[in-house]
Amino acid sequence: MIKKLSLISLFTLMPASFYFAQTTVYAYVKDQDGKPLEKAEVDLAQSSNDVAADKIGYFQFVDLKPGHYLITVTKPSFESKILEFDVTADEKRKDLGVITLNYNLGSDAGVIVIDDSANDTEDGGSSMQPTVGLLSSGRDAFQNVSAFELGAYWFRPRGVDNRFEDVLFNGVSMSKNDDGKIDFNNWGGLNDVTRYPYENVDNITPSEYTFGNLGGAVYYNTRASSYRKQTSLAYSFTNRSYLHRAIATYSSGLTKNGWAFTFSASRRWGDRAILDGVYQDAYAYFASIEKKFSDRHSINLTAFGSPTYRASNSPNTQEVYDLMGKNYNSYWGWQDGEKRNSRIRNVYEPVFMLTDYLKVGKNSNWINTVSYQFGSDARSRLDWFHAADPNPTYYRKLPSFGLLTADEFREQAQIDWNYMYNSNRLNLTNMDKSKRGASYTLVEDVNKDKTFNFASHFDTRLKDNWKLNINFNYQNLKSDNFRRIKDLLGANYANNLNAFNNDVQYNVDDPNTEVRVGDRTQYSYELTKNHYSLNISTEVDFNKWNVVASVFSSYSESYRDGKFRSALFMDNSKGKSAVYSALDAGIKGKITYKINGKNFIVYNGALFSLAPTFNEIFINPRVGDFLTPGVKNQVINSNDISYIMRGQILKLRVSGYYTTISNSTEISRYYLAVSSNNTGSYNTLVNEAMSGADKRYIGAELGFDVKVTPTINAVGVASIGEYKFTNTPNVYTFDDLNAFRSYGKANIKDYKVAGTPQKAFSLGLKYNSPKYWWVGASANYLMDQYLDFSAINKTAAMYTIPNTGGMLYDGVTPELVQMLTAQTKFDDQFMLNANAGKSFQFGKYRVGVSISVNNILNNRNYVTGGFEQGRYANFPDALAEYQRGTPYFGPKLWYDRGRTFFTNVYLRF
């Protein structure tokens, strides 16, 4: 086949050399192992037409006049190469020989980012390359810096969080139905096989394989033959969330009898990282087996999973950090001389996929995947029954409350496991049977999903410049949710009774209220969802224009089926709820205008709706099937326009964007004190819903990569955004005492969206030596990070007395209300990162070492996240809190971990 392609390419050259006095220049692009690099991009500085290498790495430029020329050859995961040559009048054909691209050592730096990818299109890619010339050469400077440098500090491009991103494996979405977010734990540790996605589109750019969302889409093709034939062994040492990582990967390539195999396995473990009491033990495996029946048909079986056991770290108030330091974690305590963490996440949700690849006719491909995912996600926590809160940072135990001194607090600042065991043992000998159950237990909130997916992708080239894509997806989900006893801590049993509401039964249909290890307690329900979606996109390529349009529609049905009949909500807790149905639709478009071969203008636009997730549909599914008041489909309208330059010396992108999100619903759960003691207060756990919230995201992005010298690159990024709420949404709560309560409007117009710096800047330098080593550093500046707020505190309930028709508390003034409800803005922060690496070649063996260090200056003042406690939603208590030197219920914060490093060594052959 390769010989035939070579002959075809040769005869293609001949007419130009016979009939024109000008010259044809050609060459082959290969990697260090001598393998062809298909779709390597070749940019000719003196021409507006770029070309791409074919399957054997061949490219050509025809009709070149005599003169001096410069070409730049690029390929994702390889170092770019610049080559200069001369064409003379007497040359009809000029052979530049073999151009070898070296592996990009930076791609093996070992940065712990799941999406650490460049766009690397392998066999089976798009059947049409646009002639406009803006070919994908991997993520640009802005996208790379956002992921590697700024992403380490929780920077989110354009303010978009995980909820609005899509990750697909062979067309199957990995988004969770409870909150819409992606759980990267499902393939954590499989860096070797997920390093380079098959397709990676950012923001609202249309995708060939899905309609996508607001934050872009990543598509992984796990076809065994698409992985590079090699064996790879790697070991990493770090101080981030674990200490050690080991990965082994083997890919056979396609054998003569049509089989291909790719296997990968890893382990991440360690218990002495930066934060106290945090440890992890996680395994991962990946298997892909392909059988190729002909050039037109093959089948691939994929299986992967990542059983993970990981301890968590607590958010704390500033008072606690001042007393204990930034490494403090309240979730653990000593037991028998070892650290035991109460908040353990134990997740294992394996995925099995069968994919059929079929080539239809000359210009069409049909890919069908069926998948099944199951397993469980269990998260532990302490529970107590008619006993004191065991949390060592409970507000009555803090020095600010006055019962303990600072030294006394430090002496008992960790969980007292012995005390809880002793309390339970005392109950064993108590003759009063009602007190013989456990005072303290360790429980697990468990989610067991069983998800069946069918994904179908069809693409065809209608004409040389016109491509059509059709995607259909069906998903069936059955989600079992419950709390179970994990450890009785020395007791014989626990009581399945609601201690906060006069010991009523959590399940009145079961007269036996004694529960033991493994038994379900407090809540048990199933969620079911059926979802259908259809996406059609098309791409048309002209001489100066490239146009992409994409439309979609989807329909879903969801319902809850309760297994416990609660004494508090007899009619709404057990049995099947009404079906909640949602219909979505949307359109996306992309227009690219080619100014010349190096300068482009690109416009993207999208308008679509987004159905609510389970967490948004049911305000508290643990107790009943109550729908969240005002829940609706979100409506997203987003537009951006970019100027892109792809030169040999300078690569540049400047973008502006404007996005609105309407009708969003946000759910929070916390302990609330509604009013002061002299006005009929009540304290309870509430589920807060803010419905009908509108947001606006506006900003500009700049990213550039300039080649200062042939070996030194300067990379700069600037992101200037404003993300804020633009209306006054309605606020409701649901709790065991009052069911639903309406609090009216939340006065949050112009409050900022929390969770990310709204402005970020980065400037870096990187030196790539011809001797196969590199070193780089970046300076990063983060601005406008805001605290997440409690919605009730922003309603009239904060300053009006309950049940009085709106009467104000004494002393209320607009100035005081503004002072008490102002949103907290954190200080701007500067971070310095550095990385270095080298590779060695010993025959067929390649060895590489690298190290990356984040936050070299050990800045511990950067708040990566936090939230306002909603405990006091009334003026007297809120004012007293404000006037205290140290508030009882200050914001809960997470701080950056300071200086972290990641070292990696690998062997490939």
Side-chain angles (χ1 to χ4, degrees):
M1 183 64 184
I2 291 178
K3 291 181 178 179
K4 291 180 180 179
L5 286 172
S6 299
L7 288 172
I8 292 172
S9 301
L10 178 62
F11 286 120
T12 303
L13 288 172
M14 291 181 65
S17 61
F18 275 123
Y19 300 110
F20 297 92
Q22 293 156 333
T23 303
T24 296
V25 175
Y26 63 95
Y28 293 84
V29 185
K30 298 184 178 182
D31 63 17
Q32 294 172 234
D33 302 323
K35 298 176 182 177
L37 290 180
E38 181 188 1
K39 295 181 182 177
E41 296 177 26
V42 187
D43 182 7
L44 181 63
Q46 291 78 12
S47 171
S48 61
N49 293 318
D50 301 339
V51 299
D54 63 16
K55 288 182 178 293
I56 59 173
Y58 178 84
F59 72 88
Q60 67 179 22
F61 289 99
V62 298
D63 301 342
L64 294 189
K65 298 178 181 179
H68 183 75
Y69 292 89
L70 182 148
I71 60 173
T72 302
V73 186
T74 59
K75 172 75 175 176
S77 75
F78 291 86
E79 293 287 354
S80 300
K81 178 163 286 189
I82 297 176
L83 185 67
E84 296 183 70
F85 60 91
D86 293 300
V87 172
T88 60
D90 58 347
E91 290 181 296
K92 293 183 178 180
R93 297 173 52 224
K94 187 177 186 68
D95 183 3
L96 299 181
V98 174
I99 301 174
T100 301
L101 297 189
N102 300 320
Y103 296 101
N104 186 341
L105 304 180
S107 66
D108 294 305
V111 179
I112 308 177
V113 178
I114 298 295
D115 183 17
D116 61 348
S117 53
N119 189 356
D120 189 10
T121 304
E122 297 292 342
D123 182 44
S126 172
S127 59
M128 182 192 74
Q129 288 290 357
T131 60
V132 165
L134 186 57
L135 305 179
S136 172
S137 61
R139 312 192 78 182
D140 66 18
F142 184 90
Q143 296 155 348
N144 276 321
V145 171
S146 297
F148 290 99
E149 306 295 341
L150 299 174
Y153 306 110
W154 304 95
F155 169 75
R156 301 198 307 250
R158 305 189 181 183
V160 176
D161 64 21
N162 195 353
R163 164 75 168 92
F164 298 100
E165 297 174 359
D166 273 341
V167 172
L168 300 95
F169 280 78
N170 303 320
V172 175
S173 174
M174 294 289 109
S175 298
K176 294 295 184 181
N177 284 280
D178 55 351
D179 58 9
K181 296 184 178 180
I182 301 161
D183 189 356
F184 293 100
N185 287 283
N186 287 164
W187 59 93
L190 296 175
N191 300 57
D192 279 358
V193 292
T194 60
R195 188 176 301 279
Y196 304 115
Y198 193 71
E199 183 188 54
N200 193 334
V201 297
D202 288 277
N203 307 310
I204 55 172
T205 303
S207 163
E208 291 188 16
Y209 297 94
T210 182
F211 180 78
N213 209 315
L214 183 59
V218 178
Y219 180 93
Y220 291 108
N221 174 21
T222 64
R223 192 173 186 174
S225 63
S226 68
Y227 293 97
R228 188 182 308 278
K229 181 181 179 180
Q230 69 176 7
T231 298
S232 175
L233 304 174
Y235 168 77
S236 305
F237 180 67
T238 180
N239 68 338
R240 295 178 182 174
S241 58
Y242 53 85
L243 295 181
H244 311 279
R245 185 186 74 175
I247 303 178
T249 303
Y250 167 76
S251 293
S252 68
L254 191 63
T255 63
K256 293 181 179 180
N257 56 4
W259 288 92
F261 306 90
T262 295
F263 303 105
S264 186
S266 76
R267 186 188 179 196
R268 294 161 291 157
W269 72 101
D271 61 356
R272 293 185 303 277
I274 293 175
L275 298 181
D276 295 335
V278 173
Y279 43 87
Q280 178 172 336
D281 196 5
Y283 294 83
Y285 62 85
F286 174 91
S288 179
I289 302 172
E290 179 184 355
K291 172 57 179 175
K292 186 174 183 179
F293 299 101
S294 69
D295 289 340
R296 292 183 168 273
H297 186 215
S298 65
I299 292 179
N300 197 94
L301 176 66
T302 303
F304 62 88
S306 182
T308 301
Y309 181 89
R310 186 177 71 243
S312 301
N313 64 288
S314 63
N316 303 296
T317 63
Q318 190 59 51
E319 177 185 7
V320 173
Y321 283 121
D322 290 342
L323 289 164
M324 303 300 300
K326 300 288 175 54
N327 294 338
Y328 174 70
N329 178 14
S330 68
Y331 289 160
W332 69 274
W334 293 101
Q335 182 179 349
D336 297 330
E338 295 184 0
K339 291 181 179 181
R340 182 179 182 183
N341 195 306
S342 64
R343 299 288 186 103
I344 300 294
R345 186 181 182 194
N346 197 341
V347 56
Y348 177 41
E349 298 177 308
V351 178
F352 296 88
M353 294 181 167
L354 185 64
T355 304
D356 182 83
Y357 299 88
L358 182 65
K359 188 167 184 61
V360 182
K362 294 174 60 177
N363 301 316
S364 304
N365 298 283
W366 192 17
I367 304 172
N368 294 284
T369 298
V370 291
S371 76
Y372 183 66
Q373 183 176 16
F374 62 97
S376 69
D377 186 351
R379 308 181 192 215
S380 68
R381 61 184 301 147
L382 287 171
D383 196 20
W384 55 99
F385 185 81
H386 294 301
D389 189 336
N391 177 10
T393 60
Y394 181 59
Y395 79 101
R396 292 178 179 272
K397 301 177 183 179
L398 296 176
S400 60
F401 193 78
L403 296 180
L404 299 177
T405 67
D407 289 338
E408 288 172 333
F409 173 79
R410 293 188 187 98
E411 290 176 359
Q412 48 188 290
Q414 302 302 150
I415 290 175
D416 192 341
W417 291 99
N418 290 332
Y419 171 79
M420 291 186 289
Y421 272 90
N422 290 334
S423 297
N424 285 346
R425 290 192 183 103
L426 287 174
N427 289 348
L428 295 177
T429 60
N430 196 312
M431 296 305 294
D432 185 352
K433 187 176 180 180
S434 65
K435 297 180 180 179
R436 292 182 65 188
S439 296
Y440 296 97
T441 55
L442 192 67
V443 297
E444 284 184 311
D445 293 309
V446 183
N447 169 252
K448 289 187 174 182
D449 285 352
K450 295 180 179 179
T451 309
F452 170 81
N453 285 281
F454 170 70
S456 182
H457 168 82
F458 177 80
D459 67 74
T460 185
R461 191 171 66 247
L462 301 175
K463 292 184 178 180
D464 289 343
N465 66 334
W466 184 11
K467 185 176 181 180
L468 177 70
N469 304 292
I470 302 174
N471 300 297
F472 173 77
N473 294 78
Y474 167 72
Q475 182 182 85
N476 172 262
L477 166 73
K478 291 191 178 296
S479 179
D480 190 11
N481 300 265
F482 56 91
R483 177 171 285 182
R484 70 183 173 201
I485 303 294
K486 181 178 182 180
D487 192 337
L488 287 168
L489 305 180
N492 283 336
Y493 65 89
N495 294 286
N496 192 23
L497 301 172
N498 190 336
F500 293 97
N501 285 286
N502 301 315
D503 290 353
V504 299
Q505 290 181 240
Y506 282 110
N507 184 16
V508 298
D509 291 342
D510 186 358
N512 180 19
T513 61
E514 297 180 2
V515 286
R516 292 171 172 78
V517 173
D519 290 345
R520 300 191 179 201
T521 182
Q522 301 184 24
Y523 70 88
S524 178
Y525 63 93
E526 290 183 357
L527 297 171
T528 300
K529 182 176 183 179
N530 286 290
H531 181 260
Y532 310 81
S533 68
L534 177 66
N535 163 235
I536 301 174
S537 66
T538 186
E539 179 178 359
V540 184
D541 203 49
F542 303 103
N543 186 36
K544 285 282 188 178
W545 298 85
N546 176 267
V547 180
V548 182
S550 180
V551 297
F552 98 104
S553 181
S554 70
Y555 175 76
S556 62
E557 293 183 338
S558 308
Y559 63 87
R560 175 189 182 274
D561 188 1
K563 303 304 178 182
F564 282 6
R565 189 183 306 280
S566 168
L568 298 174
F569 304 103
M570 297 282 287
D571 298 329
N572 293 89
S573 51
K574 189 172 183 178
K576 181 179 176 181
S577 71
V579 175
Y580 183 92
S581 59
L583 179 65
D584 279 324
I587 184 169
K588 281 186 177 182
K590 176 183 177 183
I591 301 174
T592 302
Y593 173 67
K594 173 184 176 182
I595 301 172
N596 54 43
K598 298 176 180 60
N599 296 274
F600 307 85
I601 295 176
V602 181
Y603 165 78
N604 287 285
L607 175 63
F608 59 96
S609 61
L610 195 63
T613 64
F614 277 133
N615 282 0
E616 295 162 346
I617 295 171
F618 301 105
I619 192 167
N620 187 0
R622 294 184 177 184
V623 302
D625 57 12
F626 301 97
L627 293 181
T628 301
V631 64
K632 295 179 180 179
N633 292 28
Q634 297 184 66
V635 178
I636 297 173
N637 186 358
S638 184
N639 297 267
D640 67 47
I641 189 166
S642 301
Y643 165 70
I644 299 174
M645 176 190 290
R646 290 276 180 86
Q648 290 77 29
I649 304 300
L650 174 65
K651 297 185 186 300
L652 170 76
R653 175 167 70 86
V654 181
S655 301
Y657 59 90
Y658 184 92
T659 299
T660 60
I661 300 178
S662 305
N663 298 329
S664 68
T665 299
E666 301 190 9
I667 306 292
S668 302
R669 296 175 174 90
Y670 54 88
Y671 199 78
L672 175 68
V674 173
S675 59
S676 61
N677 292 332
N678 61 358
T679 57
S681 68
Y682 65 88
N683 302 330
T684 185
L685 290 167
V686 299
N687 301 268
E688 173 195 276
M690 187 170 66
S691 301
D694 296 343
K695 306 173 190 177
R696 187 190 73 187
Y697 301 76
I698 185 172
E701 299 170 337
L702 166 68
F704 67 84
D705 185 341
V706 58
K707 189 171 287 294
V708 181
T709 73
T711 57
I712 297 177
N713 281 61
V715 180
V717 157
S719 176
I720 301 174
E722 183 187 62
Y723 322 135
K724 67 180 184 179
F725 291 86
T726 58
N727 71 334
T728 55
N730 294 306
V731 178
Y732 307 87
T733 61
F734 179 90
D735 63 80
D736 291 351
L737 293 175
N738 305 280
F740 284 105
R741 286 177 64 96
S742 173
Y743 289 82
K745 300 287 187 179
N747 298 310
I748 62 167
K749 186 176 181 180
D750 294 330
Y751 276 60
K752 299 301 193 293
V753 176
T756 179
Q758 302 209 357
K759 297 180 177 65
F761 306 89
S762 180
L763 180 63
L765 288 173
K766 183 176 180 181
Y767 174 77
N768 287 290
S769 169
K771 304 283 188 183
Y772 306 116
W773 64 271
W774 55 270
V775 62
S778 70
N780 307 279
Y781 196 69
L782 306 157
M783 301 174 60
D784 294 0
Q785 174 90 310
Y786 290 86
L787 182 70
D788 200 6
F789 56 83
S790 169
I792 290 182
N793 291 347
K794 310 301 180 284
T795 67
M798 203 279 290
Y799 53 85
T800 58
I801 302 173
N803 305 317
T804 62
M807 183 181 297
L808 300 178
Y809 285 102
D810 291 340
V812 170
T813 66
E815 293 76 17
L816 280 176
V817 172
Q818 174 64 28
M819 179 184 69
L820 296 177
T821 59
Q823 188 177 18
T824 299
K825 179 182 177 181
F826 299 115
D827 294 336
D828 302 339
Q829 301 294 333
F830 174 78
M831 302 291 186
L832 187 64
N833 299 343
N835 48 71
K838 181 171 174 57
S839 73
F840 308 86
Q841 192 80 28
F842 304 101
K844 69 174 184 178
Y845 297 94
R846 187 167 67 255
V847 177
V849 294
S850 63
I851 181 171
S852 62
V853 183
N854 287 343
N855 196 353
I856 293 174
L857 302 179
N858 199 32
N859 181 354
R860 300 303 304 272
N861 297 320
Y862 178 55
V863 178
T864 60
F867 55 91
E868 186 179 70
Q869 294 198 69
R871 180 81 175 216
Y872 288 149
N874 65 88
F875 180 80
D877 289 334
L879 182 60
E881 272 283 275
Y882 183 86
Q883 293 173 338
R884 290 189 186 99
T886 303
Y888 296 160
F889 302 102
K892 290 287 188 78
L893 309 173
W894 285 276
Y895 277 93
D896 186 76
R897 299 185 181 191
R899 186 184 301 113
T900 60
F901 67 87
F902 191 95
T903 60
N904 187 61
V905 58
Y906 67 84
L907 169 65
R908 293 175 182 168
F909 55 92

